[in-house]
Every structure is written in C-alpha cells, then in structure tokens.
Amino acid sequence: MTDHLLVCGIGSGMDRSLTELRSPRRTLVVVTDRPTERVRAAADVLLVCDPNDAVAVLAELSAAGVDRIDGVFSLGADNPPVISTLARRFGCPGLPLETALDCTLKDRRLAILRAAGLDLPRFTTAGSVAEAVRAVADIGLPAVIKPSDQTGSLGVLKVDRADRVRPLAEEALRLSPGGRIVIEEFLEGTEHTLAAFMVDGELHRFGFADREYGRKEEFAPHFFEGGDTLPSLLSTEQIEEVTDTVRRGARALRLDPAVINTDILRTRDGRVVLLEITARLTGARIATEVMRLATGVDPLPNVVRLALGRPLDLTELEPRHSRAVVQRFLPADGGVVEWAGNPRDVARRAGVHDVFWGLDLAPGTVLPSYRGGADVLAGVIAHAEGPAEAEAVAERALRALPLRLKAPAA
C-alpha cells in the first residue's frame, strides 16, 4: 500500500534531503514557499504557499484534491503548530495542538519548564515597552530580549545599557505577531545542540554538537551563531547530564512521541540550562548532513516512521563511525554583489562536503547588514581527522569563495 506523506515546510538547505524520501511506495506531497529545483524534482504534488499558515495550507490541499494524508512532518522548518493542525485534520499521528504551541511559544514553554523545576535563566514576559523597561530593571543588565513567537534568532537582541532597553524592546515587539516578548537574564558558557526522538517516555539521542560562537557579539545587539562542531568537547559524563536535562524538559512539555531539537547552555560554573526545545527535526542541514557525516546516523527513516505512527528502528540510531565535522557560516555585512561564481568549484577540495550560498547573489544585489540567521551569506560543511583540522578546511573554503563585492553607491 502506498503511503501518502505530507512534508510541510523545508528549512534552509534541507531540500537536499527531500530526494531521499522518494520511494515507489510513497506519494510525496510537499508544501513550501520556496520551491527549488530539488523540490520540484522530488515532489509528486507540489503546493506553493506559506507553510507557517495552516489555513493557507489546507486551502491549497483542498484545491489540489488532496484528501488523504498518512503522515505529516517538516524538514527542519519550525512550525510544530501547523504540523499538529494538519495531523488532526487528516487523522495522522501527531502531537496535540496545545502541546505544539507550548513548545513553540517561548513564554508558554518557559513557564512550563520553570514549573517543572528545570534550571532556566531568570525571565519575565512583556506586552509593551513600559513592561519591558520594568522587566529589565528587575532582571538586571545585561539581558536578552526576544519575540515570544519568532524563530531563527529573529529579533533576539542583547541589551547591556539602560538607554538601549526602549528601542530594542520596540524592535522585538514589532517583530512579534502576537505582541509578546520575553526578557531573559544573559548567561555565558558553551552552547550545544542535541537531536533526539522521544517515544514512550524514553529519549533516544542521535546527535550532539557544540555550537560555534567565536563571533557571537560582533554584530551586537544581534547574536551571530557561526555553526556546529562534532564531536563535542564535553566529556561523556557532561553529555549525559545535558541529555538528562533535555529528557526532563521533553517530559514536562509532553513531547511524546516526537522528534526533538534543542539548544542547551552549559555555564562556566557547570549549570545545564535548557534554552530551547521544540518538536521538529534539527534544521540547517545539521541533523541530516552534519551529524550524519560525523556518526553515520540517518534520522530520516525514523522521522517517517514516527509520522506514520510506526515503531522506531533503534538500531539505526547507533553510531557507525566517529568523524570530525564542522559547519561554518559567513555572515552578510553589507556591500553590493559585483560577481558571484559557483561555490561548488570550492567543494571539490579535499575535506569539503559542500559549500553553498545562503542568499541569492545576483549581480547588483545589495547585501544586508547582519541581523539574524536569515542573513547568512555563505556556508561550508567540512570534515577531517579532528575538529581543528576540519575547521581549518572550512576556513580555507570560505576564504576561497567565488565572490566579488563593491561598496554601495554614495
């Protein structure tokens, strides 16, 4: 019998994984607002609309005559509430909508995790600039202001001076569709990505990476995340401590069954702080390529099984090898594109898995100044014997990008 799979939303670069989902035993329905050549080649039914708008997606499905779906998920897109809505509409396995909202809306998530006793930054919420000013005065400086209902680091801002609270709160509120922002204590330490499946109360980890933040505050008040590194520099004991914290967070949020993506901070004095946890596959090619290159574990078959309500194959989550792999990003920082070549030419170098543009770089394109994850100019995935060697390969690849910029006209 043919399975009808709905892939609703494709994160940056994740269209590469779509071809792996093709099978004679599947009908692949894909919803995206950015159809690439890979998407067009892989989809049996392609619907172009906003995958974050459940009403629009349902209207497009109806217009296309799609009346049967057996499983629904996204490829790294951060839209769990839409996935839950679609799963309920078609009678597919999936999390309840309230659970999806709890892990997506930052204010709701933090309240639940705090009630469960997890270690969190001190935080409060605000619906106005005046409330934000009072909140920062209570929490203290430096602090972090972020929209409660945005993803991809959009509107996440560090405030370190009292005279900056008001304008930064205004910016975060402007970017929040619901008009709610979260104000958190700013904590320092190392950050990590943990990817896992949560089924029947058990957490099955299949990836763990260190986040690269060497240039974190170069574009202040915005944060720049430089990529991910595997294997982690944490000890086995420390990784297990982080895993236990994620397990507690997933249970508190009732993310079961679910594929889980997390952002964890380990402070300099050893606290394990759960910054983000949501019910989706880790995006930006991390779970499907970076972690897979490092360990040999491909999560996609189990993502499909989960969406269809079938048992996981836990043997597929066991590492096959251990290899040093890094992903590094180059931020956009203004300028005008004079010429852009094919980054695949750089990818032919030893140790380079892929080099890619993060933006459309037609001649004459005016590049933005970096303000968040959407403003990545280029990226590279590299591998080597050890992390330092892999990072050196990545740096050489980024320096060799076929790109020429010029200053904007006065």
Side-chain angles (χ1 to χ4, degrees):
M1 183 177 177
T2 301
D3 294 321
H4 288 64
L5 288 180
L6 172 57
V7 179
C8 182
I10 301 173
S12 176
M14 299 289 282
D15 58 342
R16 292 164 174 80
S17 299
L18 197 62
T19 56
E20 299 179 32
L21 297 173
R22 285 192 60 83
S23 166
R25 300 185 301 275
R26 292 179 190 145
T27 296
L28 204 58
V29 182
V30 180
V31 175
T32 179
D33 54 353
R34 295 183 179 181
T36 63
E37 290 182 11
R38 290 189 183 93
V39 172
R40 295 185 187 280
D44 295 299
V45 178
L46 174 59
L47 305 177
V48 180
C49 72
D50 184 357
N52 298 303
D53 184 340
V55 174
V57 173
L58 286 169
E60 290 294 322
L61 288 167
S62 177
V66 177
D67 56 8
R68 174 190 162 196
I69 294 293
D70 301 308
V72 55
F73 58 95
S74 77
L75 278 177
D78 203 349
N79 60 347
V82 174
I83 301 302
S84 292
T85 299
L86 296 171
R88 180 176 179 180
R89 162 64 180 79
F90 289 100
C92 303
L95 294 172
L97 177 58
E98 286 302 306
T99 300
L101 290 168
D102 286 342
C103 76
T104 302
L105 300 176
K106 294 178 176 64
D107 53 348
R108 289 172 58 156
R109 179 176 66 229
L110 287 165
I112 291 169
L113 294 176
R114 179 167 59 185
L118 274 88
D119 195 350
L120 303 172
R122 289 183 295 117
F123 75 93
T124 189
T125 60
S128 68
V129 172
E131 288 180 1
V133 170
R134 290 193 293 270
V136 172
D138 180 56
I139 289 175
L141 295 171
V144 179
I145 299 175
K146 57 183 73 172
S148 176
D149 43 12
Q150 285 289 6
T151 62
S153 74
L154 183 64
V156 178
L157 307 164
K158 181 182 179 183
V159 55
D160 51 13
R161 300 198 325 256
D163 64 337
R164 295 290 291 152
V165 175
R166 188 171 292 274
L168 294 181
E170 288 175 351
E171 181 175 349
L173 280 165
R174 177 179 59 82
L175 293 170
S176 169
R180 298 291 297 172
I181 59 176
V182 172
I183 299 91
E184 292 181 353
E185 164 191 19
F186 176 76
L187 297 174
E188 293 188 272
T190 59
E191 290 192 39
H192 310 274
T193 300
L194 184 150
F197 290 96
M198 186 77 172
V199 179
D200 296 331
E202 295 299 324
L203 190 78
H204 304 283
R205 187 182 70 226
F206 64 84
F208 192 95
D210 295 347
R211 294 192 168 189
E212 201 287 312
Y213 273 118
R215 302 170 64 182
K216 184 174 184 176
E217 296 187 42
E218 182 175 327
F219 303 95
H222 310 280
F223 295 107
F224 174 62
E225 180 184 336
D228 286 80
T229 301
L230 289 94
S232 173
L233 290 178
L234 297 188
S235 67
T236 300
E237 181 179 287
Q238 290 168 338
I239 291 173
E240 289 303 323
E241 185 180 10
V242 170
T243 302
D244 181 64
T245 298
V246 172
R247 182 183 297 110
R248 290 173 55 211
R251 288 173 177 169
L253 288 163
R254 299 171 297 165
L255 302 181
D256 189 345
V259 60
I260 292 172
N261 173 63
T262 62
D263 178 8
I264 309 101
L265 182 140
R266 194 173 188 278
T267 65
R268 293 171 179 173
D269 58 358
R271 292 171 59 191
V272 177
V273 180
L274 189 55
L275 297 179
E276 299 276 349
I277 177 169
T278 188
R280 64 172 175 89
L281 186 67
T282 306
R285 304 172 66 179
I286 297 169
T288 52
E289 291 182 71
V290 179
M291 291 177 174
R292 183 176 174 180
L293 274 171
T295 65
V297 174
D298 179 6
L300 280 177
N302 275 315
V303 170
V304 172
R305 293 185 186 104
L306 186 75
L308 295 170
R310 296 170 185 164
L312 301 185
D313 184 343
L314 298 182
T315 64
E316 293 184 1
L317 302 183
E318 297 172 2
R320 270 73 170 163
H321 57 248
S322 179
R323 178 186 298 150
V325 180
V326 305
Q327 178 166 231
R328 291 292 181 267
F329 298 119
L330 184 68
D333 192 21
V336 178
V337 176
E338 190 171 53
W339 168 81
N342 188 348
R344 299 282 181 178
D345 295 337
V346 182
R348 297 190 181 100
R349 301 183 177 201
V352 177
H353 171 71
D354 193 23
V355 182
F356 50 92
W357 298 127
L359 298 170
D360 294 330
L361 299 180
T365 298
V366 179
L367 298 179
S369 297
Y370 184 84
R371 297 176 66 86
D375 297 326
V376 168
L377 177 63
V380 58
I381 300 173
H383 56 87
E385 290 277 328
E389 295 92 336
E391 178 143 16
V393 171
E395 288 178 357
R396 287 195 295 270
L398 290 176
R399 285 198 299 268
L401 284 170
L403 177 67
R404 188 165 59 244
L405 302 178
K406 61 182 178 181

